[in-house]
Amino acid sequence: MPQLDTSTWFITIMTMLPTLYLIMQLKLLNTNYYQPPLTKNSSLQSHNIHWQPKWTKTCLPLSQPQQS
């Protein structure tokens, strides 16, 4: 039974790593990422909402202490 020749494995692995790195970089370079919307000046858009300046509190009936 012949011996497995492993003398070229090192160079094969060492050349494969930079190649895979370059392939991944090229793939990432071509991807389109989501662009966030442009920020708008809030002073231009002044909405008058009647409940905006108020604090509101919602109390559920179960959150009240139980009465005996």
Side-chain angles (χ1 to χ4, degrees):
M1 184 192 261
Q3 290 279 337
L4 181 62
D5 184 19
T6 60
S7 63
T8 60
W9 284 14
F10 179 76
I11 192 68
T12 303
I13 293 171
M14 294 309 285
T15 55
M16 179 188 65
L17 292 175
T19 305
L20 288 175
Y21 176 78
L22 288 173
I23 290 171
M24 289 304 295
Q25 291 297 318
L26 288 173
K27 282 187 168 289
L28 290 174
L29 184 68
N30 291 331
T31 56
N32 293 326
Y33 293 104
Y34 168 73
Q35 297 293 329
L38 297 174
T39 57
K40 296 180 181 177
N41 192 352
S42 62
S43 64
L44 293 176
Q45 294 181 347
S46 174
H47 297 292
N48 189 7
I49 301 174
H50 67 280
W51 50 263
Q52 189 173 12
K54 298 178 183 178
W55 286 92
T56 59
K57 181 177 179 182
T58 303
C59 294
L60 297 174
L62 296 176
S63 65
Q64 300 292 331
Q66 292 183 357
Q67 297 175 354
S68 303

